[in-house]
Amino acid sequence: MDKVELRSCEKFCSCNNKVLFILEYLLHTRGMDAPCQPALIEIPEQPPRKQAAQHGPLKLRPVNREQTMLASIYVEELIPADHKARAIWDLVGRMDLSGFTEALRTTAGCAGRPAWDPRLLVSLWVYAYSQGISSAREIERLMEWERGMQWLGGLQTVNYHSLSDFRIEHRAALDEMFAELLALLAQEGLVDLQQVMHDGTKIRALAGADTFRREKTIRERLAEARQAVAQFGDPRAETPAKNGQQAAQERAARERKQRLEAALEELQALQAEKKKEEDKAAVRVSVTEPEARIMKHGDGAMAASYNAQITTESSHKIIVGAHLSQCSSDAQSLQPALQEVEENLGEKPAQVVVDGGFTNRNNIVECAAQNIDLVGSLANPVERSEAAMKAQGIDPAFAPHQFHILEAGQQVQCPAGCILPYVRQSRKRGDLYQQYKASSADCLACRYKAQCCPKTLEKGRTVSIRVEEQAEVAAFRQKMALPESRAIYRRRGEVAEFPNAWIKDKLGVRKFRVRGLIKAGSELLWACLTYNIQQWVRLVWRRPPVPVS
C-alpha cells in the first residue's frame, strides 16, 4: 500500500492514533504479529487554535536616564526612630568635645571656611566602625546614599582627607572622651571593677612582611634616599615655583628618607638589646613601618603586627582599658594595663583574671604588693624544668626533680646512682636553691653521660634544686588549687576574649589602616570606643522604660 492508498484507506482516515495504525500495518505486511495488540486509544480531536486578535504594538514602560528630577527629601524621615545613628548622635552630644576644637583656627567674624563639627566627625567614625567600615574614602562614598550617614551629615559629604586626619590627630582628646564614656557607663551601673579580665590579641600592621630588611640594606637605601633629596636642593632657599608633579616628587623623596632614618634608629635600638653579634646581625625592621614587629597569629601565620592589650570588666563586658604593645609576648603587658584602668576610672580593679601568658613571678609579686587579687594559670614546675633541660640537650629523665636528696640535704643521688655532694646555696628571683656537683671522673665513667651532661662532661654535672619558693608565688599556687579559684578562671574566656572577637569580626579591625604605633593605637581606641557605645545602645538606649506604678 503506497502513501496514496494509505491516505485513502477508510480505516486510516477514521483512526485517531495514526502512528499506531501505521506500525500495525507494517508488521502485518511482513508476516509478523505485533507483540501486543494494544487497543487504539480514542483521543478526541483537539479544537482548532483560535488566532490571537490582531492589535497594535506592545506598550512597554521606557527607562529614561537623561531626565532631571527634582525630589523633596525630609532628612528626619531617612531613618527610623530606633536607628543606631540617632543613638550615637545623642550620646556624643552629651560628651565634652572641647579637646577636639582646641586646634581649630576658624572663628566667627574672621575669614576662612567653617570647620566640620567634631560631634559630626566623631559620630561618623563611630557609626562607620559599627558597620565594619574603617576606610575614610569609603565613608565619603557612602555619605552619598547610605541612610544613616546621610542623616548624620544632613545630606552633606565630608572629604576623606578631613576624616582621615581627624582620626589620628586628636589622641589626647580621644583618651579623654574614652574615659568620659566610662564614667557615663559607670553612672548607669554598667562598670564594676570588682573583677576585670585581661587578654591580648594580635592585629596586623599595614606594613608587609616583605618590607623587613637588615642593617646593610637599610643603610644602602638611606644613602640613595639622601642623594635623591639633595638633588632638590635646600627647601628653605628661594627657588622658582615648582609645578605639582615636581612638588609631589620632592615630598615623596623626603618622606622616604624620614622613614629610612626612623627604620635605622629602630634597628639600632633593637640591636642594643642583643648580646651576641650574630643575634645583632639577624635583626630586621620594616622600612615602611619600623615600629611593627613580626608576630605569630592564632592561625600560625607570621605577619607584621601589634599586640593589642584589652581589659574588660566582667559584669557587662565593658572595655575599661586598651593599649598597643610591640612585644609578641604578653608577660610584660599586665602592669601597664592595670595602670591604664586606674587612669581611666580613678581606681584599680579588686581582682584581675588572666591566662598563662600573663601569669609569671613578676606579675604575681606586683599584684600582691598592690592588693590586687590575681587569678591565672601557673605552669607546672616539673613541666617547666623538663622543658628547660630539653633545651639544653639533657634528657628529662635526668632533670633536677629526678635526683633524690640524701642526709638532710647534704648530698643527692642521680638516677644512675652517682652521689653529688652539696656545694652551696643561692637565691634566684626570690627562690632558694641548693647546688650539688658531681666529679668529672664519675661523669666520664657513666654510661648515661650523653643524656645527663652532654655539654659539661669535663666539669661534671651541677644540679640546682629549689628548696624554698618565694612566699607570694607559693601563696598564689595554693590559691589556684582551690575549686572556687578554678571556677573563676574558667569564666575568663567568655569575658576576656569576647571584645577581641567583636572588634575583629563585627568591626572588621583585623588590619590597621594607619602606620606607626601611635596612629595604630588611636585606631584601636576608636574601635574600643565604638564597642562600648554599642553596649550602651544595647543596654541603655534601647532598654524598655520601667513602668511607673
Side-chain angles (χ1 to χ4, degrees):
M1 183 182 291
D2 56 9
K3 293 183 179 179
V4 176
E5 294 176 341
L6 183 62
R7 290 176 181 172
S8 61
C9 178
E10 181 180 358
K11 186 177 182 181
F12 174 80
C13 296
S14 62
C15 180
N16 290 326
N17 196 331
K18 295 179 174 55
V19 175
L20 293 177
F21 177 83
I22 294 173
L23 178 62
E24 182 180 359
Y25 172 78
L26 293 175
L27 293 174
H28 177 73
T29 56
R30 287 167 172 76
M32 299 171 61
D33 293 332
C36 59
Q37 300 292 333
L40 294 178
I41 303 174
E42 295 293 336
I43 301 177
E45 294 288 344
Q46 299 295 322
R49 295 183 61 182
K50 296 181 179 179
Q51 294 184 353
Q54 297 296 327
H55 297 288
L58 296 176
K59 294 188 294 183
L60 302 177
R61 182 174 298 179
V63 178
N64 183 7
R65 296 186 177 90
E66 297 181 356
Q67 62 179 328
T68 301
M69 181 177 294
L70 180 64
S72 61
I73 300 176
Y74 184 39
V75 179
E76 276 297 328
E77 293 183 352
L78 285 174
I79 57 176
D82 61 345
H83 198 277
K84 64 180 176 182
R86 296 181 184 272
I88 294 171
W89 179 259
D90 181 20
L91 180 60
V92 174
R94 303 183 191 182
M95 299 182 182
D96 181 15
L97 303 179
S98 59
F100 295 95
T101 59
E102 291 178 355
L104 297 180
R105 296 185 298 273
T106 58
T107 56
C110 298
R113 188 176 181 179
W116 290 106
D117 188 354
R119 183 181 181 184
L120 169 62
L121 299 180
V122 171
S123 300
L124 279 174
W125 272 117
V126 172
Y127 179 76
Y129 272 111
S130 71
Q131 297 288 95
I133 302 166
S134 58
S135 169
R137 292 179 183 270
E138 184 69 8
I139 295 175
E140 179 186 6
R141 188 183 71 85
L142 290 176
M143 290 189 75
E144 296 286 346
W145 59 270
E146 206 277 340
R147 294 298 182 91
M149 293 187 183
Q150 282 184 320
W151 183 87
L152 286 172
L155 300 182
Q156 299 183 82
T157 301
V158 183
N159 180 267
Y160 78 91
H161 205 289
S162 300
L163 289 166
S164 179
D165 292 343
F166 183 82
R167 173 167 57 175
I168 61 177
E169 290 181 351
H170 303 278
R171 178 57 189 269
L174 188 62
D175 289 333
E176 293 177 1
M177 185 171 66
F178 185 80
E180 186 179 358
L181 175 61
L182 289 178
L184 188 149
L185 294 173
Q187 292 177 0
E188 297 286 347
L190 301 180
V191 177
D192 185 6
L193 292 184
Q194 290 300 312
Q195 184 185 74
V196 301
M197 301 190 180
H198 184 80
D199 194 21
T201 184
K202 310 297 190 304
I203 299 179
R204 295 174 185 264
L206 196 57
D210 58 342
T211 63
F212 282 74
R213 297 292 183 269
R214 291 186 173 89
E215 181 179 5
K216 180 181 177 181
T217 305
I218 293 176
R219 290 189 180 275
E220 291 175 353
R221 294 190 179 184
L222 179 58
E224 295 174 357
R226 285 172 176 170
Q227 291 178 0
V229 172
Q231 294 176 358
F232 293 101
D234 189 354
R236 296 169 295 182
E238 295 183 1
T239 57
K242 302 176 182 178
N243 57 38
Q245 183 178 2
Q246 291 175 341
Q249 291 175 352
E250 181 177 355
R251 183 174 61 254
R254 296 188 185 281
E255 290 176 353
R256 183 170 184 267
K257 172 177 168 289
Q258 293 174 357
R259 288 196 300 268
L260 289 169
E261 289 175 344
L264 183 59
E265 292 179 2
E266 195 75 19
L267 183 138
Q268 291 174 344
L270 292 176
Q271 286 179 338
E273 300 174 0
K274 307 295 183 180
K275 296 181 180 179
K276 299 180 180 180
E277 291 299 327
E278 55 268 23
D279 294 338
K280 293 182 179 181
V283 174
R284 299 186 304 164
V285 297
S286 172
V287 295
T288 60
E289 193 170 356
E291 293 174 311
R293 298 289 182 267
I294 295 292
M295 299 182 185
K296 185 176 181 179
H297 289 247
D299 58 356
M302 304 292 291
S305 311
Y306 294 103
N307 194 351
Q309 301 290 322
I310 299 177
T311 310
T312 310
E313 62 87 38
S314 62
S315 61
H316 294 89
K317 300 179 182 178
I318 302 296
I319 296 176
V320 293
H323 74 277
L324 282 186
S325 171
Q326 293 176 279
C327 183
S328 60
S329 173
D330 296 328
Q332 307 301 323
S333 299
L334 181 59
Q335 297 307 317
L338 295 176
Q339 183 178 358
E340 187 176 8
V341 173
E342 185 178 12
E343 293 175 356
N344 289 336
L345 292 167
E347 59 177 318
K348 294 181 179 180
Q351 185 183 74
V352 57
V353 185
V354 295
D355 63 7
F358 300 91
T359 310
N360 53 54
R361 187 181 306 274
N362 180 65
N363 287 332
I364 292 173
V365 174
E366 289 292 334
C367 288
Q370 301 175 38
N371 294 323
I372 298 177
D373 184 20
L374 178 66
V375 176
S377 62
L378 191 61
N380 190 325
V382 174
E383 295 178 357
R384 294 187 61 182
S385 176
E386 291 181 351
M389 293 299 102
K390 188 176 181 180
Q392 299 178 16
I394 300 175
D395 193 289
F398 292 90
H401 63 273
Q402 303 289 357
F403 288 67
H404 302 286
I405 300 176
L406 305 175
E407 298 185 2
Q410 293 304 309
Q411 59 184 17
V412 296
Q413 184 180 22
C414 76
C418 180
I419 300 298
L420 285 71
Y422 170 80
V423 178
R424 58 185 176 274
Q425 70 177 13
S426 62
R427 193 170 288 275
K428 183 179 179 181
R429 296 191 298 269
D431 294 348
L432 182 63
Y433 290 86
Q434 290 183 351
Q435 279 83 33
Y436 302 87
K437 185 176 181 181
S439 64
S440 58
D442 291 341
C443 290
L444 287 171
C446 182
R447 60 174 179 169
Y448 299 106
K449 55 188 176 183
Q451 292 87 355
C452 181
C453 48
K455 298 180 181 180
T456 59
L457 190 60
E458 295 79 5
K459 298 180 180 179
R461 173 70 184 277
T462 300
V463 177
S464 295
I465 298 179
R466 185 175 60 188
V467 295
E468 180 183 331
E469 192 173 30
Q470 192 171 0
E472 294 85 352
V473 179
F476 178 83
R477 198 181 299 278
Q478 293 177 0
K479 177 182 67 177
M480 289 309 302
L482 300 175
E484 51 268 27
S485 299
R486 293 198 297 269
I488 293 174
Y489 181 76
R490 281 195 292 269
R491 289 196 61 239
R492 185 204 63 83
E494 65 177 274
V495 176
E497 297 177 5
F498 177 80
N500 297 347
W502 186 288
I503 288 173
K504 287 186 173 183
D505 187 60
K506 299 292 186 180
L507 308 188
V509 185
R510 296 181 177 272
K511 184 176 183 178
F512 290 115
R513 290 275 185 175
V514 292
R515 298 181 188 272
L517 183 65
I518 296 177
K519 294 180 180 180
S522 297
E523 187 174 1
L524 174 66
L525 203 57
W526 277 109
C528 294
L529 181 73
T530 303
Y531 169 87
N532 282 348
I533 290 178
Q534 286 184 296
Q535 304 311 310
W536 176 84
V537 173
R538 178 176 63 88
L539 298 172
V540 178
W541 195 73
R542 289 179 176 170
R543 182 172 54 192
V546 179
V548 180
S549 57

